[in-house]
Amino acid sequence: MCGIVGYAGAPDLDASALDVILDGLRRMEYRGYDSAGVALLTPEGLVARKRSGKLARLLQSLHDDPLPRSNTGIGHTRWATHGAPTDANAHPHLAAAGRIALVHNGIIENFAALRAQLRDEAGIEFVSETDTEVAAHLLAQAHAACGDLSRAMQDVARRLEGAFTLLAVHADVPDTVVGARRNSPLVVGLGEGANFLGSDVAAFIGHTRRAVELGQDQVVTITPSTVTITDFHGNTAPGREYAVDWDAAAAEKGGFPNFMAKEINEQPRAVADTLRGRTDGEGHLTLDELRIDESVLRGINKIVVVACGTAAYAGMVAKYAIEHWCRIPVEVELAHEFRYRDPVVDSRTLVVAISQSGETMDTIMAVRHAREQGSRVIAICNTRGSTIPRESDAALYTHAGPEIAVASTKAFLAQITACYLLGLYLAQLRGNKYHDEIAAILADLRTMPGAIQKVLEGLEQVRTMARWMADTRSVLFLGRHVGFPVAMEGALKLKELAYIHAEGFAAGELKHGPIALIEPGQPVFVIVPSPRGKDSLHNKVVSSIQEINARGARTIVIAEDGDDEVLPFASEVIRIPQVPTLMAPLVSVVPLQVFACELATAKGLDVDQPRNLAKSVTVE
Ligand code: M6R
């Protein structure tokens, strides 16, 4: 959950290590913002500065009391696990009398035993409560013993259990940053006369788009002109170079007040880009990335979606479509619950792991468990080279571009789109649908970017309402069928951004208990299905609106253009375009995202960095 950056540049380059690292930390801050720190190798030795709180506090300190110029260093932005977010617990952690500095992302599970050993056997006095500090002292011991920083890092990595990315510099080893990774992300950036390390490519995207993907259990050493990759035993290991297909502008706010607003606005493009290039000249779906034998896919008898948070809601939406199109049962399981309940999965189960970041530890563990049971795993992921697609049998990438705001928005729409492509592909392969039926659904999907754009252009009413409702203490969301996961997603957005009690219910469940929550003035969003659909649930949802309206609720109804039956019972009507039933989540969720973003802004909250959260949850 922390963000880390490393840089080694030739001394004659204009760029200073500090500027490069701070630029990287600014882009990494979405990963955690409890504290920030840097360490630099300078002619005067190793210097470090760290501050609790957001990066701005560190920047202020560096402004007030500048550090000497440097061409090599590391930086860190923290999401606290062990120890409160204080200056002392902030990274980097120092060892070897201040000659080594080390930063860490992840959790070192055996840190308590190592800490006791270092204290009892080497008399080390710890100055923080973190698990990380043991790694700094172990590195100092290992370096003192072998005199080689890369070998020392290999020794340390072999002794640690859990998840970690480590970066370190040593005052005696100029122009060099050494890193190690296990179960936690680290990518290399290849520059001209400079090389970079980062938790993801955003750390160095302002400098290079050439990246190298590292494998599990690898140590990497960068200097301005070399990149050396080994396993934890010093054997040379391969790294896979790839070109990042987005640029620095994609990771900037681009004139929007915050990343979330920008990313909401990018949703038409996220859907269009996810659909692009996935059919052949005859209109057949060709998901080339799905390197799973077609006979295996024809033989599956169950699909289990594993995911967390918003990604799980995307899976819940997809369940309706895939079951309808393919007639295969689909279960959607929160990834952290999956492996601990001994799920019934086998070689005929297809597991679909959905994750924006590809680094969610709960989902990684679910993927591993599924593969151990003999299931094939397809990852639906937005981050190329991340752990989940790397550990899956195949990956279907969403092309939403970098999602930086902690609240997921454009990734949600891209995940639904990718799941739909997967569902249609399975229907094509298994003969559940004729070619022209699939072509018609794909044609509908291709109209969705335009429909989403239309919603985005008509949201002033939602913004005004959100500002009026800044003091609201509780909001309920109701939906049915594909509107049910949308209701839960709307509630999640409001909880995480505005810290307001919010709950999403299946509208049909209302009468089984939740209706007791309705009291005069209670705001309730209701996502109304289209009245046009066959077997439409429209009338039943309108009945639910009547029931809560009769009990004094303030009903905020999301209904399609032309649906006037809701008017008598609605305090507010938010209009969405007429789209096919299964596509409706792609438009109906947009007002809910904007509502949460605007309400949180009206409360003066930091929309991109809500309290206690981090973008990638890399701990279980
Ligand atoms: O990176 P992932 O898609 O695996 O992340 C899963 C959840 O942590 C994520 O969707 C989270 O719920 C978001 N903050 C929701 O906005």
Side-chain angles (χ1 to χ4, degrees), residues 307-313 354-361 363 380 383 388 403 405-409 411 415 489 492-493 496-497 610 613-617:
C308 301
T310 292
Y313 297 144
I354 307 176
S355 174
Q356 188 286 131
S357 62
E359 298 295 346
T360 299
M361 186 53 76
T363 311
I380 290 188
T383 311
I388 291 171
E403 191 180 66
V406 163
S408 191
T409 53
Q415 285 159 352
E489 172 62 3
L492 176 59
K493 292 285 94 90
E496 68 180 332
L497 294 176
L613 290 171
K615 181 72 179 161
S616 319
V617 185

PDB file of all heavy atoms in Angstrom, residues 307-313 354-361 363 380 383 388 403 405-409 411 415 489 492-493 496-497 610 613-617, ligand 1:
ATOM      1  N   ALA A 307     -12.985 -10.969  -6.288  1.00  0.00           N
ATOM      2  CA  ALA A 307     -12.603  -9.549  -6.371  1.00  0.00           C
ATOM      3  C   ALA A 307     -12.972  -8.886  -5.051  1.00  0.00           C
ATOM      4  O   ALA A 307     -13.597  -9.505  -4.193  1.00  0.00           O
ATOM      5  CB  ALA A 307     -13.355  -8.875  -7.522  1.00  0.00           C
ATOM      6  N   CYS A 308     -12.576  -7.641  -4.906  1.00  0.00           N
ATOM      7  CA  CYS A 308     -12.899  -6.875  -3.688  1.00  0.00           C
ATOM      8  C   CYS A 308     -13.477  -5.515  -4.069  1.00  0.00           C
ATOM      9  O   CYS A 308     -13.140  -4.974  -5.121  1.00  0.00           O
ATOM     10  CB  CYS A 308     -11.637  -6.617  -2.863  1.00  0.00           C
ATOM     11  SG  CYS A 308     -10.820  -8.110  -2.352  1.00  0.00           S
ATOM     12  N   GLY A 309     -14.268  -4.985  -3.184  1.00  0.00           N
ATOM     13  CA  GLY A 309     -14.766  -3.612  -3.319  1.00  0.00           C
ATOM     14  C   GLY A 309     -15.488  -3.400  -4.634  1.00  0.00           C
ATOM     15  O   GLY A 309     -16.303  -4.219  -5.083  1.00  0.00           O
ATOM     16  N   THR A 310     -15.141  -2.302  -5.277  1.00  0.00           N
ATOM     17  CA  THR A 310     -15.792  -1.947  -6.539  1.00  0.00           C
ATOM     18  C   THR A 310     -15.639  -3.046  -7.580  1.00  0.00           C
ATOM     19  O   THR A 310     -16.571  -3.326  -8.348  1.00  0.00           O
ATOM     20  CB  THR A 310     -15.176  -0.623  -7.041  1.00  0.00           C
ATOM     21  OG1 THR A 310     -15.583   0.406  -6.132  1.00  0.00           O
ATOM     22  CG2 THR A 310     -15.628  -0.267  -8.425  1.00  0.00           C
ATOM     23  N   ALA A 311     -14.481  -3.677  -7.616  1.00  0.00           N
ATOM     24  CA  ALA A 311     -14.257  -4.738  -8.611  1.00  0.00           C
ATOM     25  C   ALA A 311     -15.241  -5.885  -8.388  1.00  0.00           C
ATOM     26  O   ALA A 311     -15.709  -6.515  -9.348  1.00  0.00           O
ATOM     27  CB  ALA A 311     -12.811  -5.229  -8.524  1.00  0.00           C
ATOM     28  N   ALA A 312     -15.582  -6.162  -7.122  1.00  0.00           N
ATOM     29  CA  ALA A 312     -16.550  -7.227  -6.841  1.00  0.00           C
ATOM     30  C   ALA A 312     -17.943  -6.823  -7.335  1.00  0.00           C
ATOM     31  O   ALA A 312     -18.706  -7.662  -7.835  1.00  0.00           O
ATOM     32  CB  ALA A 312     -16.583  -7.532  -5.344  1.00  0.00           C
ATOM     33  N   TYR A 313     -18.260  -5.530  -7.215  1.00  0.00           N
ATOM     34  CA  TYR A 313     -19.567  -5.086  -7.731  1.00  0.00           C
ATOM     35  C   TYR A 313     -19.608  -5.206  -9.257  1.00  0.00           C
ATOM     36  O   TYR A 313     -20.656  -5.525  -9.826  1.00  0.00           O
ATOM     37  CB  TYR A 313     -19.873  -3.656  -7.280  1.00  0.00           C
ATOM     38  CG  TYR A 313     -19.993  -3.519  -5.767  1.00  0.00           C
ATOM     39  CD1 TYR A 313     -19.543  -2.394  -5.106  1.00  0.00           C
ATOM     40  CD2 TYR A 313     -20.559  -4.548  -5.009  1.00  0.00           C
ATOM     41  CE1 TYR A 313     -19.641  -2.278  -3.729  1.00  0.00           C
ATOM     42  CE2 TYR A 313     -20.663  -4.451  -3.633  1.00  0.00           C
ATOM     43  CZ  TYR A 313     -20.200  -3.313  -2.989  1.00  0.00           C
ATOM     44  OH  TYR A 313     -20.305  -3.221  -1.633  1.00  0.00           O
ATOM     45  N   ILE A 354     -10.952 -10.118 -10.803  1.00  0.00           N
ATOM     46  CA  ILE A 354     -11.065  -8.738 -11.313  1.00  0.00           C
ATOM     47  C   ILE A 354     -10.306  -7.807 -10.370  1.00  0.00           C
ATOM     48  O   ILE A 354     -10.531  -7.830  -9.152  1.00  0.00           O
ATOM     49  CB  ILE A 354     -12.541  -8.280 -11.389  1.00  0.00           C
ATOM     50  CG1 ILE A 354     -13.372  -9.302 -12.177  1.00  0.00           C
ATOM     51  CG2 ILE A 354     -12.635  -6.913 -12.035  1.00  0.00           C
ATOM     52  CD1 ILE A 354     -14.862  -8.965 -12.215  1.00  0.00           C
ATOM     53  N   SER A 355      -9.441  -6.995 -10.938  1.00  0.00           N
ATOM     54  CA  SER A 355      -8.680  -6.059 -10.104  1.00  0.00           C
ATOM     55  C   SER A 355      -8.139  -4.921 -10.957  1.00  0.00           C
ATOM     56  O   SER A 355      -7.524  -5.157 -11.992  1.00  0.00           O
ATOM     57  CB  SER A 355      -7.513  -6.794  -9.432  1.00  0.00           C
ATOM     58  OG  SER A 355      -6.701  -5.881  -8.733  1.00  0.00           O
ATOM     59  N   GLN A 356      -8.387  -3.718 -10.518  1.00  0.00           N
ATOM     60  CA  GLN A 356      -7.807  -2.563 -11.211  1.00  0.00           C
ATOM     61  C   GLN A 356      -6.301  -2.587 -11.099  1.00  0.00           C
ATOM     62  O   GLN A 356      -5.573  -2.500 -12.074  1.00  0.00           O
ATOM     63  CB  GLN A 356      -8.389  -1.275 -10.616  1.00  0.00           C
ATOM     64  CG  GLN A 356      -8.041   0.015 -11.338  1.00  0.00           C
ATOM     65  CD  GLN A 356      -6.620   0.505 -11.133  1.00  0.00           C
ATOM     66  OE1 GLN A 356      -5.923   0.830 -12.115  1.00  0.00           O
ATOM     67  NE2 GLN A 356      -6.147   0.544  -9.921  1.00  0.00           N
ATOM     68  N   SER A 357      -5.827  -2.702  -9.872  1.00  0.00           N
ATOM     69  CA  SER A 357      -4.388  -2.563  -9.614  1.00  0.00           C
ATOM     70  C   SER A 357      -3.610  -3.825  -9.969  1.00  0.00           C
ATOM     71  O   SER A 357      -2.428  -3.753 -10.296  1.00  0.00           O
ATOM     72  CB  SER A 357      -4.163  -2.276  -8.126  1.00  0.00           C
ATOM     73  OG  SER A 357      -4.643  -3.374  -7.355  1.00  0.00           O
ATOM     74  N   GLY A 358      -4.265  -4.969  -9.857  1.00  0.00           N
ATOM     75  CA  GLY A 358      -3.544  -6.238 -10.027  1.00  0.00           C
ATOM     76  C   GLY A 358      -2.668  -6.576  -8.843  1.00  0.00           C
ATOM     77  O   GLY A 358      -1.915  -7.541  -8.869  1.00  0.00           O
ATOM     78  N   GLU A 359      -2.775  -5.794  -7.769  1.00  0.00           N
ATOM     79  CA  GLU A 359      -1.904  -6.007  -6.609  1.00  0.00           C
ATOM     80  C   GLU A 359      -2.691  -6.231  -5.322  1.00  0.00           C
ATOM     81  O   GLU A 359      -2.092  -6.254  -4.247  1.00  0.00           O
ATOM     82  CB  GLU A 359      -0.961  -4.808  -6.418  1.00  0.00           C
ATOM     83  CG  GLU A 359      -0.012  -4.555  -7.575  1.00  0.00           C
ATOM     84  CD  GLU A 359       1.001  -5.683  -7.778  1.00  0.00           C
ATOM     85  OE1 GLU A 359       1.161  -6.525  -6.892  1.00  0.00           O
ATOM     86  OE2 GLU A 359       1.623  -5.707  -8.858  1.00  0.00           O
ATOM     87  N   THR A 360      -4.001  -6.338  -5.392  1.00  0.00           N
ATOM     88  CA  THR A 360      -4.800  -6.538  -4.183  1.00  0.00           C
ATOM     89  C   THR A 360      -4.468  -7.908  -3.589  1.00  0.00           C
ATOM     90  O   THR A 360      -4.732  -8.935  -4.212  1.00  0.00           O
ATOM     91  CB  THR A 360      -6.295  -6.420  -4.543  1.00  0.00           C
ATOM     92  OG1 THR A 360      -6.512  -5.110  -5.045  1.00  0.00           O
ATOM     93  CG2 THR A 360      -7.179  -6.663  -3.344  1.00  0.00           C
ATOM     94  N   MET A 361      -3.918  -7.891  -2.393  1.00  0.00           N
ATOM     95  CA  MET A 361      -3.397  -9.144  -1.823  1.00  0.00           C
ATOM     96  C   MET A 361      -4.506 -10.181  -1.618  1.00  0.00           C
ATOM     97  O   MET A 361      -4.291 -11.375  -1.855  1.00  0.00           O
ATOM     98  CB  MET A 361      -2.668  -8.851  -0.505  1.00  0.00           C
ATOM     99  CG  MET A 361      -1.976 -10.049   0.079  1.00  0.00           C
ATOM    100  SD  MET A 361      -0.850 -10.877  -1.079  1.00  0.00           S
ATOM    101  CE  MET A 361       0.527  -9.761  -1.085  1.00  0.00           C
ATOM    102  N   THR A 363      -7.046 -10.686  -3.412  1.00  0.00           N
ATOM    103  CA  THR A 363      -7.366 -11.296  -4.713  1.00  0.00           C
ATOM    104  C   THR A 363      -6.205 -12.175  -5.182  1.00  0.00           C
ATOM    105  O   THR A 363      -6.423 -13.249  -5.759  1.00  0.00           O
ATOM    106  CB  THR A 363      -7.718 -10.192  -5.732  1.00  0.00           C
ATOM    107  OG1 THR A 363      -8.673  -9.310  -5.132  1.00  0.00           O
ATOM    108  CG2 THR A 363      -8.307 -10.769  -7.001  1.00  0.00           C
ATOM    109  N   ILE A 380      -8.945 -10.044 -15.013  1.00  0.00           N
ATOM    110  CA  ILE A 380      -9.422  -8.839 -15.705  1.00  0.00           C
ATOM    111  C   ILE A 380      -8.780  -7.694 -14.954  1.00  0.00           C
ATOM    112  O   ILE A 380      -9.068  -7.459 -13.778  1.00  0.00           O
ATOM    113  CB  ILE A 380     -10.954  -8.772 -15.708  1.00  0.00           C
ATOM    114  CG1 ILE A 380     -11.450  -9.888 -16.637  1.00  0.00           C
ATOM    115  CG2 ILE A 380     -11.445  -7.396 -16.136  1.00  0.00           C
ATOM    116  CD1 ILE A 380     -12.911  -9.892 -16.928  1.00  0.00           C
ATOM    117  N   THR A 383      -3.762  -3.042 -14.874  1.00  0.00           N
ATOM    118  CA  THR A 383      -2.350  -2.688 -14.702  1.00  0.00           C
ATOM    119  C   THR A 383      -1.466  -3.784 -15.277  1.00  0.00           C
ATOM    120  O   THR A 383      -1.331  -4.864 -14.696  1.00  0.00           O
ATOM    121  CB  THR A 383      -2.031  -2.462 -13.212  1.00  0.00           C
ATOM    122  OG1 THR A 383      -3.031  -1.594 -12.686  1.00  0.00           O
ATOM    123  CG2 THR A 383      -0.671  -1.825 -13.030  1.00  0.00           C
ATOM    124  N   ILE A 388      -1.461 -10.014 -10.344  1.00  0.00           N
ATOM    125  CA  ILE A 388      -2.629 -10.869 -10.625  1.00  0.00           C
ATOM    126  C   ILE A 388      -2.618 -11.391 -12.069  1.00  0.00           C
ATOM    127  O   ILE A 388      -2.705 -12.608 -12.267  1.00  0.00           O
ATOM    128  CB  ILE A 388      -3.943 -10.152 -10.244  1.00  0.00           C
ATOM    129  CG1 ILE A 388      -3.993 -10.044  -8.706  1.00  0.00           C
ATOM    130  CG2 ILE A 388      -5.168 -10.896 -10.774  1.00  0.00           C
ATOM    131  CD1 ILE A 388      -5.100  -9.187  -8.151  1.00  0.00           C
ATOM    132  N   GLU A 403      -5.593   4.863 -13.093  1.00  0.00           N
ATOM    133  CA  GLU A 403      -6.630   5.353 -12.171  1.00  0.00           C
ATOM    134  C   GLU A 403      -5.917   5.733 -10.885  1.00  0.00           C
ATOM    135  O   GLU A 403      -5.345   4.876 -10.205  1.00  0.00           O
ATOM    136  CB  GLU A 403      -7.698   4.287 -11.932  1.00  0.00           C
ATOM    137  CG  GLU A 403      -8.906   4.859 -11.208  1.00  0.00           C
ATOM    138  CD  GLU A 403      -9.989   3.823 -10.954  1.00  0.00           C
ATOM    139  OE1 GLU A 403      -9.733   2.891 -10.164  1.00  0.00           O
ATOM    140  OE2 GLU A 403     -11.078   3.945 -11.519  1.00  0.00           O
ATOM    141  N   ALA A 405      -7.182   8.357  -8.417  1.00  0.00           N
ATOM    142  CA  ALA A 405      -8.059   8.609  -7.254  1.00  0.00           C
ATOM    143  C   ALA A 405      -8.300   7.292  -6.535  1.00  0.00           C
ATOM    144  O   ALA A 405      -8.449   6.248  -7.171  1.00  0.00           O
ATOM    145  CB  ALA A 405      -9.375   9.209  -7.717  1.00  0.00           C
ATOM    146  N   VAL A 406      -8.349   7.354  -5.220  1.00  0.00           N
ATOM    147  CA  VAL A 406      -8.561   6.126  -4.445  1.00  0.00           C
ATOM    148  C   VAL A 406      -9.912   5.490  -4.801  1.00  0.00           C
ATOM    149  O   VAL A 406     -10.028   4.263  -4.908  1.00  0.00           O
ATOM    150  CB  VAL A 406      -8.447   6.428  -2.933  1.00  0.00           C
ATOM    151  CG1 VAL A 406      -9.054   5.319  -2.107  1.00  0.00           C
ATOM    152  CG2 VAL A 406      -6.976   6.621  -2.567  1.00  0.00           C
ATOM    153  N   ALA A 407     -10.920   6.322  -4.994  1.00  0.00           N
ATOM    154  CA  ALA A 407     -12.238   5.779  -5.353  1.00  0.00           C
ATOM    155  C   ALA A 407     -12.215   5.334  -6.811  1.00  0.00           C
ATOM    156  O   ALA A 407     -11.879   6.102  -7.706  1.00  0.00           O
ATOM    157  CB  ALA A 407     -13.306   6.838  -5.141  1.00  0.00           C
ATOM    158  N   SER A 408     -12.590   4.097  -7.021  1.00  0.00           N
ATOM    159  CA  SER A 408     -12.557   3.545  -8.365  1.00  0.00           C
ATOM    160  C   SER A 408     -13.775   4.008  -9.151  1.00  0.00           C
ATOM    161  O   SER A 408     -14.907   3.931  -8.659  1.00  0.00           O
ATOM    162  CB  SER A 408     -12.539   2.022  -8.246  1.00  0.00           C
ATOM    163  OG  SER A 408     -12.255   1.442  -9.474  1.00  0.00           O
ATOM    164  N   THR A 409     -13.560   4.489 -10.358  1.00  0.00           N
ATOM    165  CA  THR A 409     -14.696   4.936 -11.192  1.00  0.00           C
ATOM    166  C   THR A 409     -14.570   4.351 -12.602  1.00  0.00           C
ATOM    167  O   THR A 409     -15.267   3.415 -12.957  1.00  0.00           O
ATOM    168  CB  THR A 409     -14.759   6.480 -11.267  1.00  0.00           C
ATOM    169  OG1 THR A 409     -13.485   6.987 -11.694  1.00  0.00           O
ATOM    170  CG2 THR A 409     -15.141   7.079  -9.929  1.00  0.00           C
ATOM    171  N   ALA A 411     -12.374   2.474 -13.806  1.00  0.00           N
ATOM    172  CA  ALA A 411     -12.014   1.050 -13.809  1.00  0.00           C
ATOM    173  C   ALA A 411     -13.269   0.193 -13.695  1.00  0.00           C
ATOM    174  O   ALA A 411     -13.355  -0.876 -14.310  1.00  0.00           O
ATOM    175  CB  ALA A 411     -11.050   0.744 -12.673  1.00  0.00           C
ATOM    176  N   GLN A 415     -14.187  -2.603 -16.210  1.00  0.00           N
ATOM    177  CA  GLN A 415     -14.279  -4.003 -15.748  1.00  0.00           C
ATOM    178  C   GLN A 415     -15.584  -4.645 -16.228  1.00  0.00           C
ATOM    179  O   GLN A 415     -15.582  -5.798 -16.682  1.00  0.00           O
ATOM    180  CB  GLN A 415     -14.207  -4.045 -14.212  1.00  0.00           C
ATOM    181  CG  GLN A 415     -12.811  -3.807 -13.680  1.00  0.00           C
ATOM    182  CD  GLN A 415     -12.780  -3.356 -12.228  1.00  0.00           C
ATOM    183  OE1 GLN A 415     -13.816  -3.072 -11.620  1.00  0.00           O
ATOM    184  NE2 GLN A 415     -11.591  -3.282 -11.651  1.00  0.00           N
ATOM    185  N   GLU A 489     -22.536   0.006  -5.107  1.00  0.00           N
ATOM    186  CA  GLU A 489     -21.395   0.820  -5.537  1.00  0.00           C
ATOM    187  C   GLU A 489     -21.639   2.290  -5.192  1.00  0.00           C
ATOM    188  O   GLU A 489     -20.729   2.987  -4.732  1.00  0.00           O
ATOM    189  CB  GLU A 489     -21.180   0.620  -7.052  1.00  0.00           C
ATOM    190  CG  GLU A 489     -20.155   1.529  -7.703  1.00  0.00           C
ATOM    191  CD  GLU A 489     -18.730   1.370  -7.178  1.00  0.00           C
ATOM    192  OE1 GLU A 489     -18.491   0.503  -6.332  1.00  0.00           O
ATOM    193  OE2 GLU A 489     -17.870   2.160  -7.599  1.00  0.00           O
ATOM    194  N   LEU A 492     -20.938   2.624  -1.541  1.00  0.00           N
ATOM    195  CA  LEU A 492     -19.492   2.546  -1.251  1.00  0.00           C
ATOM    196  C   LEU A 492     -18.807   3.879  -1.574  1.00  0.00           C
ATOM    197  O   LEU A 492     -17.983   4.374  -0.794  1.00  0.00           O
ATOM    198  CB  LEU A 492     -18.848   1.403  -2.059  1.00  0.00           C
ATOM    199  CG  LEU A 492     -17.332   1.262  -1.935  1.00  0.00           C
ATOM    200  CD1 LEU A 492     -16.912   1.018  -0.495  1.00  0.00           C
ATOM    201  CD2 LEU A 492     -16.801   0.138  -2.821  1.00  0.00           C
ATOM    202  N   LYS A 493     -19.179   4.478  -2.706  1.00  0.00           N
ATOM    203  CA  LYS A 493     -18.557   5.752  -3.073  1.00  0.00           C
ATOM    204  C   LYS A 493     -18.807   6.797  -1.983  1.00  0.00           C
ATOM    205  O   LYS A 493     -17.917   7.547  -1.610  1.00  0.00           O
ATOM    206  CB  LYS A 493     -19.095   6.276  -4.418  1.00  0.00           C
ATOM    207  CG  LYS A 493     -18.710   5.479  -5.633  1.00  0.00           C
ATOM    208  CD  LYS A 493     -17.274   5.666  -6.083  1.00  0.00           C
ATOM    209  CE  LYS A 493     -16.378   4.634  -5.515  1.00  0.00           C
ATOM    210  NZ  LYS A 493     -16.135   3.410  -6.204  1.00  0.00           N
ATOM    211  N   GLU A 496     -16.782   5.981   1.337  1.00  0.00           N
ATOM    212  CA  GLU A 496     -15.333   6.171   1.313  1.00  0.00           C
ATOM    213  C   GLU A 496     -14.933   7.622   1.073  1.00  0.00           C
ATOM    214  O   GLU A 496     -13.888   8.052   1.535  1.00  0.00           O
ATOM    215  CB  GLU A 496     -14.640   5.216   0.336  1.00  0.00           C
ATOM    216  CG  GLU A 496     -14.913   5.441  -1.117  1.00  0.00           C
ATOM    217  CD  GLU A 496     -14.171   4.435  -2.009  1.00  0.00           C
ATOM    218  OE1 GLU A 496     -13.111   3.934  -1.616  1.00  0.00           O
ATOM    219  OE2 GLU A 496     -14.663   4.170  -3.110  1.00  0.00           O
ATOM    220  N   LEU A 497     -15.789   8.382   0.374  1.00  0.00           N
ATOM    221  CA  LEU A 497     -15.397   9.758   0.052  1.00  0.00           C
ATOM    222  C   LEU A 497     -15.923  10.769   1.053  1.00  0.00           C
ATOM    223  O   LEU A 497     -15.237  11.718   1.400  1.00  0.00           O
ATOM    224  CB  LEU A 497     -15.919  10.148  -1.332  1.00  0.00           C
ATOM    225  CG  LEU A 497     -15.325   9.385  -2.493  1.00  0.00           C
ATOM    226  CD1 LEU A 497     -16.002   9.795  -3.771  1.00  0.00           C
ATOM    227  CD2 LEU A 497     -13.830   9.629  -2.580  1.00  0.00           C
ATOM    228  N   PRO A 610      -9.065   9.873   0.481  1.00  0.00           N
ATOM    229  CA  PRO A 610      -9.914   9.778   1.679  1.00  0.00           C
ATOM    230  C   PRO A 610      -9.160   9.175   2.859  1.00  0.00           C
ATOM    231  O   PRO A 610      -8.204   8.416   2.653  1.00  0.00           O
ATOM    232  CB  PRO A 610     -11.048   8.855   1.242  1.00  0.00           C
ATOM    233  CG  PRO A 610     -10.866   8.581  -0.194  1.00  0.00           C
ATOM    234  CD  PRO A 610      -9.521   9.022  -0.612  1.00  0.00           C
ATOM    235  N   LEU A 613      -7.563   5.205   3.822  1.00  0.00           N
ATOM    236  CA  LEU A 613      -7.583   4.322   2.651  1.00  0.00           C
ATOM    237  C   LEU A 613      -6.292   4.410   1.857  1.00  0.00           C
ATOM    238  O   LEU A 613      -5.501   5.325   2.030  1.00  0.00           O
ATOM    239  CB  LEU A 613      -8.751   4.697   1.735  1.00  0.00           C
ATOM    240  CG  LEU A 613     -10.138   4.376   2.268  1.00  0.00           C
ATOM    241  CD1 LEU A 613     -11.196   4.992   1.370  1.00  0.00           C
ATOM    242  CD2 LEU A 613     -10.342   2.875   2.345  1.00  0.00           C
ATOM    243  N   ALA A 614      -6.103   3.435   0.990  1.00  0.00           N
ATOM    244  CA  ALA A 614      -5.015   3.497   0.010  1.00  0.00           C
ATOM    245  C   ALA A 614      -5.547   2.869  -1.265  1.00  0.00           C
ATOM    246  O   ALA A 614      -6.487   2.078  -1.230  1.00  0.00           O
ATOM    247  CB  ALA A 614      -3.804   2.730   0.499  1.00  0.00           C
ATOM    248  N   LYS A 615      -4.959   3.231  -2.370  1.00  0.00           N
ATOM    249  CA  LYS A 615      -5.475   2.766  -3.656  1.00  0.00           C
ATOM    250  C   LYS A 615      -5.299   1.257  -3.828  1.00  0.00           C
ATOM    251  O   LYS A 615      -6.233   0.568  -4.222  1.00  0.00           O
ATOM    252  CB  LYS A 615      -4.756   3.522  -4.775  1.00  0.00           C
ATOM    253  CG  LYS A 615      -5.212   3.161  -6.170  1.00  0.00           C
ATOM    254  CD  LYS A 615      -6.585   3.705  -6.439  1.00  0.00           C
ATOM    255  CE  LYS A 615      -7.075   3.397  -7.836  1.00  0.00           C
ATOM    256  NZ  LYS A 615      -8.529   3.535  -7.935  1.00  0.00           N
ATOM    257  N   SER A 616      -4.100   0.759  -3.572  1.00  0.00           N
ATOM    258  CA  SER A 616      -3.888  -0.682  -3.733  1.00  0.00           C
ATOM    259  C   SER A 616      -3.755  -1.280  -2.343  1.00  0.00           C
ATOM    260  O   SER A 616      -2.896  -0.853  -1.572  1.00  0.00           O
ATOM    261  CB  SER A 616      -2.598  -0.987  -4.483  1.00  0.00           C
ATOM    262  OG  SER A 616      -2.433  -0.117  -5.529  1.00  0.00           O
ATOM    263  N   VAL A 617      -4.571  -2.276  -2.064  1.00  0.00           N
ATOM    264  CA  VAL A 617      -4.558  -2.856  -0.727  1.00  0.00           C
ATOM    265  C   VAL A 617      -3.682  -4.112  -0.776  1.00  0.00           C
ATOM    266  O   VAL A 617      -4.159  -5.208  -1.052  1.00  0.00           O
ATOM    267  CB  VAL A 617      -5.987  -3.148  -0.252  1.00  0.00           C
ATOM    268  CG1 VAL A 617      -5.971  -3.634   1.190  1.00  0.00           C
ATOM    269  CG2 VAL A 617      -6.830  -1.891  -0.352  1.00  0.00           C
TER     270      VAL A 617
HETATM  271  O1  M6R B   1      -7.232  -2.749  -7.350  1.00  0.00           O
HETATM  272  P1  M6R B   1      -8.476  -3.525  -7.070  1.00  0.00           P
HETATM  273  O2  M6R B   1      -9.500  -3.366  -8.142  1.00  0.00           O
HETATM  274  O3  M6R B   1      -8.213  -4.978  -6.794  1.00  0.00           O
HETATM  275  O4  M6R B   1      -9.079  -2.898  -5.746  1.00  0.00           O
HETATM  276  C1  M6R B   1     -10.200  -3.463  -5.134  1.00  0.00           C
HETATM  277  C2  M6R B   1     -10.771  -2.536  -4.083  1.00  0.00           C
HETATM  278  O5  M6R B   1      -9.821  -2.296  -3.081  1.00  0.00           O
HETATM  279  C3  M6R B   1     -11.217  -1.187  -4.677  1.00  0.00           C
HETATM  280  O6  M6R B   1     -12.153  -1.360  -5.688  1.00  0.00           O
HETATM  281  C4  M6R B   1     -11.811  -0.291  -3.581  1.00  0.00           C
HETATM  282  O7  M6R B   1     -13.003  -0.838  -3.117  1.00  0.00           O
HETATM  283  C5  M6R B   1     -12.024   1.133  -4.099  1.00  0.00           C
HETATM  284  N1  M6R B   1     -11.484   2.079  -3.169  1.00  0.00           N
HETATM  285  C6  M6R B   1     -13.452   1.480  -4.288  1.00  0.00           C
HETATM  286  O8  M6R B   1     -13.619   2.777  -4.761  1.00  0.00           O
END
